[in-house]
Amino acid sequence: MTMIAILVLLIAPLLAGGLSLIVHRSALLHAINLTSMSLLVGAEVMITRTVLKDGPFTALGQLVYLDALSVFILFIIGAVGLACSFYMRSYMDDQVARGVIAPTRLNLFFFLFHMFLLAMVIATVANSVGVQWVAIEATTLATTFLIAFWRRRESLEAGWKYLILCSVGISLALFGVVLTYYSSLHVLGDVSEALNVTQLLPVADQLNPHVLKLAFIFILVGYGTKVGLVPMHSWLPEAYTEAPAPVAAMLAGVLEIVAVYAILRMKMIVDHAVSPAFTGGLLALLGFASFVTAAFFILIQHNYKRLFAYSSIEHMGIAMIGFGVGGPLGAFGGLFHLLNHAFAKSMAFFAAGNIHRRFHTVEIGQVQGLALAQPWTAMALMIAGLALSALPPFASFASEVQIVTALAAQGVPGQWLSNSGGMVTVAFSNQFTSLSLTGLFLLCSVLAFSGLLYRITSMVWGTPPEGIVRGEAWTLGHLPIIVLAAALVGFGFFLPQPIRQLLEEATRIILVH
């Protein structure tokens, strides 16, 4: 049954994409999409049960490798993908009804969506880091057309910028993969499995540590561009602003997570050969750069989609700090924060899509009285904003507390960077003690919290502008908003046992060295 589940995982989006090219009826396209996503989620549940019961395993002739970490990422892909599919039922039909897109182009959107989904699934289950690189590159091709889907000048510019910057980044990641292969040749020989995670991990302590350090830097910068880490983040605000709302939700809620997963896989290999402080210090460095930069940019945003884009950079920075600090609490907090961010940011972009359809603007100053004009959307926006601000009782509060507690207790392993054989010249000064870094973390949290809530509340309260229709009819697109809101609150009080077990086992996988 597990083998069938793996085949369903790979074939369902492929088949759905193929059918989307030959089907033109909107209702049928949505039915194919929901059926495909339901099958994918069902397959993930079966695979999760197998991994939790029997542990990691390979399949399809060593092509697929599944452990608790990859299954946890699959859970996020399935949950956010299913939520997007329900939301698209009303969102895309409304865009067709308003004449924003021609009915004949709807099938192209679904084809690209399924190819995007397939590429992310392959990147997550691939045993080879080479195949993983190819799959992540494939996400760039699919998402470029999705970002530019409206065919406006601004969306074409955003798509072009995304393509150029992410292609440069992914090229750098390829250097990292090649260097890893070069290092493994001396130990494993010229074999086709020399880039397989299951082959590399047992011999990782025999690989050339200097080559692996260089490989990790290339991979961190390359995949870090996909994550949107500072200073490789400049594509992100434009892309999230111009992309259709469900696409922005998938970019922020899933693609960033998959890119983080690729970095963590490489970190696991490198940590066997060199001190984990090397990779940890680099992750924390980029994490703080992203967190601090985003916190200040959130304060000056006047466009609500760009506001959420910088919020994504902020939260990816926080997660990276957790992984950089390491230890059971830091790694667990980092993974838990990825989950919370995926749910909260998806809901935020669903709300943003609803607001744009009603107010026809992305300017915060031109959106007022949301509570009267769109009460469901106002509630979703407030919940997403409070969750992204990490206020209790939301689960993001718990994950941020875990990360900052690990930071205060352990500090950042930055002092090791200066002893890394001269390969890294940027190092934390000794004066950046754990106390001062914790203070910086809390200061940035307050700045981001203040900026985000000030902007959101200004949109929710007040009187709607003249000409804006009041009231919001129930649609299927409200269902994922309610479910995601319940999860964000519920996970703050109680984490279901399968998810907790997945998180704990994934944490152990990251920390083993």
Side-chain angles (χ1 to χ4, degrees):
M1 291 298 288
T2 304
M3 185 58 65
I4 294 174
I6 293 171
L7 291 175
V8 169
L9 203 63
L10 297 170
I11 292 173
L14 182 64
L15 190 60
L19 288 173
S20 298
L21 284 178
I22 59 175
V23 171
H24 295 282
R25 287 182 57 193
S26 171
L28 203 51
L29 286 167
H30 285 295
I32 292 170
N33 181 36
L34 285 170
T35 304
S36 169
M37 283 306 311
S38 301
L39 288 171
L40 192 139
V41 170
E44 288 172 4
V45 170
M46 293 182 64
I47 293 170
T48 301
R49 292 179 61 183
T50 302
V51 168
L52 291 180
K53 182 182 176 184
D54 303 326
F57 66 92
T58 58
L60 300 180
Q62 303 283 320
L63 290 174
V64 169
Y65 175 60
L66 288 159
D67 60 8
L69 181 59
S70 53
V71 169
F72 174 68
I73 303 299
L74 282 177
F75 167 69
I76 294 177
I77 294 174
V80 176
L82 188 60
C84 282
S85 296
F86 277 106
Y87 179 74
M88 283 192 293
R89 184 68 179 85
S90 57
Y91 179 85
M92 296 307 294
D93 284 356
D94 186 53
Q95 300 291 358
V96 172
R98 293 166 52 203
V100 178
I101 58 171
T104 52
R105 294 188 66 225
L106 194 59
N107 62 338
L108 176 62
F109 176 86
F110 279 102
F111 168 74
L112 292 170
F113 178 80
H114 290 300
M115 292 303 102
F116 177 32
L117 199 65
L118 175 64
M120 288 190 291
V121 168
I122 293 175
T124 306
V125 306
N127 190 7
S128 166
V129 294
V131 174
Q132 184 182 63
W133 179 87
V134 173
I136 293 178
E137 170 64 6
T139 64
T140 305
L141 298 176
T143 48
T144 296
F145 291 105
L146 286 170
I147 290 169
F149 194 74
W150 299 137
R151 292 184 174 178
R152 297 190 297 255
R153 182 178 62 83
E154 294 83 1
S155 59
L156 291 173
E157 286 179 359
W160 183 249
K161 187 175 183 180
Y162 168 79
L163 176 65
I164 296 295
L165 292 179
C166 286
S167 295
V168 171
I170 209 74
S171 300
L172 293 174
L174 179 60
F175 282 122
V177 174
V178 171
L179 286 170
T180 305
Y181 184 69
Y182 169 79
S183 181
S184 68
L185 281 179
H186 297 283
V187 179
L188 294 171
D190 188 11
V191 295
S192 59
E193 295 87 6
L195 280 176
N196 284 3
V197 173
T198 50
Q199 297 289 328
L200 288 170
L201 283 174
V203 300
D205 56 347
Q206 304 172 42
L207 302 178
N208 187 318
H210 300 296
V211 175
L212 279 187
K213 283 181 178 178
L214 195 56
F216 182 75
I217 292 171
F218 276 119
I219 283 179
L220 178 58
V221 173
Y223 293 149
T225 306
K226 279 282 193 181
V227 178
L229 295 176
V230 172
M232 298 85 71
H233 67 290
S234 59
W235 63 269
L236 197 142
E238 282 80 5
Y240 285 16
T241 301
E242 296 303 324
V247 176
M250 289 292 283
L251 289 171
V254 181
L255 182 59
E256 291 178 359
I257 311 296
V258 171
V260 171
Y261 165 77
I263 293 171
L264 293 178
R265 275 290 185 219
M266 192 62 194
K267 180 182 186 301
M268 289 165 50
I269 296 168
V270 177
D271 284 352
H272 281 75
V274 302
S275 167
F278 173 78
T279 56
L282 286 174
L283 292 179
L285 180 64
L286 290 186
F288 267 107
S290 304
F291 189 17
V292 173
T293 303
F296 281 99
F297 272 90
I298 283 173
L299 290 175
I300 60 172
Q301 290 309 306
H302 299 283
N303 175 320
Y304 54 83
K305 289 191 175 182
R306 290 178 70 92
L307 181 74
F308 293 140
Y310 278 103
S311 171
S312 283
I313 298 171
E314 174 211 351
H315 285 281
M316 286 300 103
I318 292 172
M320 284 297 175
I321 292 170
F323 296 126
V325 171
L329 195 58
F332 185 95
L335 288 173
F336 192 24
H337 201 70
L338 291 181
L339 175 64
N340 296 328
H341 169 262
F343 284 8
K345 197 53 59 69
S346 306
M347 194 164 63
F349 277 110
F350 293 161
N354 290 349
I355 295 168
H356 189 256
R357 282 187 288 161
R358 179 66 62 91
F359 289 79
H360 307 291
T361 180
V362 291
E363 292 297 320
I364 294 173
Q366 297 177 22
V367 178
Q368 290 182 348
L370 204 57
L372 296 174
Q374 293 177 290
W376 283 101
T377 299
M379 181 190 69
L381 187 68
M382 281 302 298
I383 291 175
L386 293 171
L388 291 171
S389 302
L391 283 180
F394 295 97
S396 51
F397 171 75
S399 57
E400 280 203 28
V401 166
Q402 289 163 351
I403 291 171
V404 77
T405 302
L407 176 65
Q410 301 164 215
V412 171
Q415 66 273 21
W416 291 94
L417 291 178
S418 57
N419 299 323
S420 57
M423 295 185 64
V424 179
T425 55
V426 179
F428 283 104
S429 167
N430 288 333
Q431 66 181 348
F432 282 98
T433 62
S434 60
L435 185 60
S436 60
L437 287 172
T438 303
L440 179 63
F441 187 103
L442 295 175
L443 174 63
C444 291
S445 298
V446 172
L447 289 177
F449 159 82
S450 306
L452 197 65
L453 280 191
Y454 174 72
R455 301 297 182 191
I456 286 177
T457 51
S458 72
M459 295 165 67
V460 170
W461 307 122
T463 304
E466 190 174 347
I468 296 295
V469 177
R470 301 189 182 195
E472 189 173 20
W474 167 266
T475 68
L476 194 59
H478 291 109
L479 181 61
I481 290 175
I482 293 173
V483 173
L484 290 173
L488 285 169
V489 177
F491 287 175
F493 293 100
F494 172 74
L495 205 52
Q497 178 57 26
I499 297 176
R500 175 175 289 280
Q501 190 178 348
L502 264 185
L503 281 167
E504 291 173 347
E505 294 194 13
T507 301
R508 279 194 285 272
I509 289 171
I510 293 174
L511 295 178
V512 169
H513 54 81

